[in-house]
Amino acid sequence: MPKNSLQTDAIRAGSHPSQFHEHSEALYLTSSFTYNSAAEAAAVFIGEKEGYIYSRFSNPTVTAMQERLAAIEGAEACVATASGMSAILATVMAHLSAGDHILASSSLFGSTISLFNNILKRFGITVSYVAPADRAGWEKAVRPETRMIFVETPSNPLTEIIDLEHVSSVSKKHGLLFVVDNCFCSPAVQRPLKMGADLVLHSATKYLDGQGRVLGGAVAGSKLLIEPVYAFLRTAGPSISPFNAWVILKGMETLKIRMDAHAINALLLAQWLSDHPRINRVYYPGLASHPQHELAMRQQSNGGGIVAFEVKGGREGAWKVIDACELISITGNLGDVKSTITHPASTTHARISPQEREAAGIKEGLVRISVGLESIEDLKSDLARGL
Ligand SMILES: *Cc1c(COP(=O)(O)O)cnc(C)c1O
């Protein structure tokens, strides 16, 4: 097969019609699969013959989703998981042991920080943090027991950019596993494996689905690194439902066109917010005023769809803007065609301590918008009311 562009692969890759020659990929809602004989079952179970056994292990709809995502992420292999968090957990469980250390960006999704600080700690895995913009900090923070570097770029919610090639060089020098949560960009905007990442993680709940319908996650990378993640999943069980995999599979078909449109709306909104007198600061990598704009444009094909801004008047000011929204939905989710608005300090980052929040730079006046595909004029009017 010729190598297709991402736009084509997002629509075509992973499609294997059954004997009915269906055009749209079928949904295989079945927990198990049957065999013609005991001998055939035995051959499939020991891997002598290809075939499906049980949907916790694998399922044709899930395989289609994995193949499509691997193609657009530029990965040799991919495994889908029940959610983005289970993709992170499976990666850690597959590759780390008690006594190991993770070096992570200090600006991470709130649940990722909770997982690292509150849960992994009980299993003897320690984590320390480096500020995303602290270029020299990565090398200095590597310890003898460090096994993994874990980052998100752009970060949530401050859209800080991590130089992937730089961190990858530190990771390679010390023989570490470099893991990138690519949820904020999706492969349509950024492909970390091409910039030195070893594994890419997704919350497919966000842009891959794109319409806020289902939970899902995925890990992509080389066969060698994906195999242990799959081994963990099939035994421990946070596998994706075939239904959710099917929704995400179909969602990916419009990923490229959606991401282009998200970025156009986000840039227009960020420019408008930058000129507003009630706003202290706008965070959007697509703005020339973003401190890491050039780096962002080297790594990404556009600025993405997430815009954050600091309203004057702290929490009260931020809540006023949010409460005045009639169109934009108040919800912590992102990556939806419907615009969503959230107050990170009291929602997505509420479970971490005020000190951790302060360290992550999440101010009380900060508002995050996942810019959807509604008319930009309607979005501006909605925000103008509270501002
Ligand atoms: C949402 C999100 C996750 C977690 O994904 P779920 O599907 O909600 O489990 C992880 N990382 C980032 C950056 C996210 O935005």
Side-chain angles (χ1 to χ4, degrees):
M1 270 253 290
K3 178 105 187 62
N4 291 319
S5 66
L6 177 140
Q7 186 166 357
T8 303
D9 276 339
I11 294 167
R12 296 280 181 176
S15 196
H16 306 288
S18 74
Q19 74 268 32
F20 302 116
H21 306 282
E22 67 277 7
H23 186 215
S24 179
E25 295 77 8
L27 166 55
Y28 291 92
L29 272 183
T30 178
S31 50
S32 73
F33 300 82
T34 62
Y35 311 98
N36 294 314
S37 66
E40 190 191 23
V44 172
F45 268 76
I46 63 167
E48 243 172 30
K49 185 174 191 273
E50 268 198 42
Y52 290 96
I53 297 171
Y54 187 54
S55 288
R56 167 152 48 79
F57 306 164
S58 55
N59 170 285
T61 309
V62 175
T63 303
M65 178 205 146
Q66 292 173 163
E67 286 181 12
R68 185 164 293 176
L69 183 54
I72 63 177
E73 205 48 272
E76 198 180 13
C78 172
V79 284
T81 58
S83 64
M85 289 317 300
S86 55
I88 298 172
L89 181 67
T91 302
V92 168
M93 287 294 166
H95 286 285
L96 302 185
S97 302
D100 289 347
H101 169 253
I102 304 173
L103 194 54
S105 159
S106 60
S107 199
L108 292 177
F109 185 63
S111 296
T112 309
I113 295 180
S114 301
L115 171 71
F116 285 0
N117 290 354
N118 305 333
I119 299 176
L120 295 187
K121 202 167 139 191
R122 290 196 283 116
F123 296 89
I125 295 171
T126 54
V127 186
S128 63
Y129 297 94
V130 174
D134 181 7
R135 257 183 91 84
W138 297 99
E139 175 92 55
K140 278 190 235 151
V142 175
R143 301 178 188 173
E145 65 274 23
T146 306
R147 292 285 170 273
M148 178 185 284
I149 296 184
F150 189 102
V151 307
E152 269 171 41
T153 179
S155 71
N156 177 19
L158 296 175
T159 73
E160 289 168 282
I161 309 295
I162 289 170
D163 185 335
L164 293 175
E165 281 174 352
H166 170 68
V167 178
S168 156
S169 72
V170 173
S171 179
K172 285 198 169 62
K173 184 173 157 195
H174 295 274
L176 314 177
L177 200 61
F178 183 28
V179 180
V180 178
D181 180 336
N182 199 27
C183 173
F184 261 43
C185 279
S186 90
V189 174
Q190 170 173 274
R191 285 193 272 187
L193 294 172
K194 292 192 171 23
M195 291 176 276
D198 297 306
L199 287 171
V200 169
L201 303 177
H202 279 287
S203 167
T205 314
K206 314 293 168 53
Y207 287 113
L208 297 180
D209 169 16
Q211 294 179 57
R213 298 165 292 192
V214 297
L215 289 179
V219 190
S222 68
K223 275 190 183 139
L224 193 72
L225 294 177
I226 291 298
E227 190 50 46
V229 180
Y230 172 64
F232 171 80
L233 269 181
R234 77 175 255 161
T235 308
S239 317
I240 194 168
S241 142
F243 178 79
N244 289 10
W246 179 79
V247 171
I248 294 160
L249 177 74
K250 304 310 285 177
M252 279 190 271
E253 293 178 1
T254 55
L255 180 67
K256 174 72 169 71
I257 195 167
R258 277 189 285 110
M259 291 316 295
D260 289 349
H262 278 295
I264 291 169
N265 258 6
L267 180 61
L268 291 171
L269 195 70
Q271 284 165 339
W272 177 77
L273 288 167
S274 301
D275 293 334
H276 202 287
R278 292 289 305 157
I279 287 170
N280 284 333
R281 189 167 166 194
V282 178
Y283 302 84
Y284 182 64
L287 283 179
S289 61
H290 188 286
Q292 296 163 295
H293 175 67
E294 275 171 37
L295 172 62
M297 292 304 104
R298 270 207 309 281
Q299 298 189 162
Q300 304 171 207
S301 60
N302 59 47
I306 312 293
V307 176
F309 55 95
E310 246 165 61
V311 183
K312 288 185 180 155
R315 177 174 292 217
E316 206 183 317
W319 280 26
K320 196 173 158 219
V321 173
I322 294 169
D323 288 343
C325 286
E326 290 171 4
L327 177 67
I328 304 176
S329 319
I330 306 174
T331 171
N333 198 24
L334 61 94
D336 196 305
V337 292
K338 293 188 171 83
S339 295
T340 64
I341 191 163
T342 190
H343 180 241
S346 58
T347 60
T348 54
H349 290 67
R351 282 167 179 277
I352 59 173
S353 69
Q355 293 87 326
E356 284 171 323
R357 213 157 44 228
E358 189 62 33
I362 315 292
K363 299 225 173 90
E364 288 291 325
L366 191 76
V367 174
R368 185 194 76 192
I369 296 189
S370 167
V371 185
L373 304 186
E374 303 94 338
S375 134
I376 185 67
E377 293 312 321
D378 292 340
L379 294 177
K380 285 183 199 167
S381 324
D382 211 37
L383 291 170
R385 206 173 303 114
L387 287 168

